Amino acid sequence: MNADVFLDLFRGQEALLEGHFLLSSGLHSRGYLQSALVLQDPCQSERLGQAIADKLRHFEATSVLTPALGGVIIGHETARALGIRCLFVERKEGEFKLCRGFAIEPGERIVIVEDVLTTGGSTRETIKVARAVGAHVVAAASIIDRSVPKADLKDVDVPFFSLARISLHTYTPESCPLCDEGVPLTKPGSR
Ligand code: ZN
């Protein structure tokens, strides 16, 4: 499957929204990818997990680590395709933490999987959690990379892969042209 096929999955589910959105990073944007609409179909999410797994297989990871909630389904499907386990971090008092008895061994080979990479913020935070317990983060991936400018993870020394890339500009609230135009802001994340 090529990149267009993956973006068409989002278009087909009306999961590529246009408007004025507040992203979880605090930035504003004209576009939003509601990946839950694509991942609601288990056959679809399985195929996407297999496609991500194909890009990550040669890293020989022993666990997928993913940021909840957005990354859980695709992380789990990727782990299934790789034949390894999937753990998730979740936000507690503003910081991503490993909870629920999840444990990572020092030296373990970890891949980070997200649904959509916007700024790379969640993936970077997830990498930090893995490294804090002595794990080796060997790669990261997402279904869609929407980052502008392109957020490779070279600064944290982790190779990054996505199934498709789409440029969706983000703005700080202070410099947002949609705010200037008075377009109502919506928070689409979990609504
Ligand atoms: Zn705005």
Side-chain angles (χ1 to χ4, degrees), residues 24-25 52 56 64-72 74-75 88-91 96-97 110-132 136-147 151-162:
S24 57
S25 55
I52 292 178
L56 299 181
V64 170
L65 183 63
T66 182
L69 237 172
V72 171
I74 190 60
F88 55 85
V89 292
E90 53 202 302
R91 223 174 264 291
F96 275 140
K97 295 204 167 91
I110 303 283
V111 287
I112 312 292
V113 175
E114 257 207 287
D115 55 344
V116 176
L117 187 97
T118 305
T119 61
S122 298
T123 286
R124 282 192 177 80
E125 275 187 69
T126 309
I127 290 169
K128 234 167 99 183
V129 172
R131 285 181 171 167
H136 184 33
V137 179
V138 291
S142 67
I143 307 169
I144 310 283
D145 171 11
R146 58 157 292 175
S147 61
D152 60 41
L153 299 169
K154 286 197 183 107
D155 56 318
V156 285
D157 201 23
V158 172
F160 172 73
F161 304 86
S162 67

Side-chain angles (χ1 to χ4, degrees), residues 20 28 176 178-179 185:
H20 180 198
H28 293 193
C176 176
L178 298 155
C179 283
L185 182 68

Side-chain angles (χ1 to χ4, degrees), residues 10-157:
F10 279 75
R11 293 191 184 102
Q13 291 289 343
E14 294 177 19
L16 179 49
L17 312 175
E18 278 179 43
H20 180 198
F21 302 107
L22 174 62
L23 307 178
S24 57
S25 55
L27 299 172
H28 293 193
S29 177
R30 266 179 218 286
Y32 188 81
L33 290 153
Q34 186 54 280
S35 55
L37 291 174
V38 172
L39 297 170
Q40 70 182 323
D41 176 350
C43 295
Q44 207 112 283
S45 40
E46 184 180 30
R47 281 168 62 209
L48 291 169
Q50 285 165 350
I52 292 178
D54 287 344
K55 292 188 184 281
L56 299 181
R57 191 163 281 114
H58 67 285
F59 289 101
E60 298 181 340
T62 52
S63 298
V64 170
L65 183 63
T66 182
L69 237 172
V72 171
I73 293 174
I74 190 60
H76 201 268
E77 289 297 345
T78 303
R80 185 211 301 271
L82 290 171
I84 61 178
R85 64 181 184 151
C86 177
L87 321 179
F88 55 85
V89 292
E90 53 202 302
R91 223 174 264 291
K92 299 273 175 188
E93 287 133 25
E95 270 182 54
F96 275 140
K97 295 204 167 91
L98 270 179
C99 308
R100 299 167 199 269
F102 284 151
I104 297 175
E105 297 299 318
E108 222 187 293
R109 295 173 70 81
I110 303 283
V111 287
I112 312 292
V113 175
E114 257 207 287
D115 55 344
V116 176
L117 187 97
T118 305
T119 61
S122 298
T123 286
R124 282 192 177 80
E125 275 187 69
T126 309
I127 290 169
K128 234 167 99 183
V129 172
R131 285 181 171 167
V133 294
H136 184 33
V137 179
V138 291
S142 67
I143 307 169
I144 310 283
D145 171 11
R146 58 157 292 175
S147 61
V148 180
K150 189 164 171 28
D152 60 41
L153 299 169
K154 286 197 183 107
D155 56 318
V156 285
D157 201 23

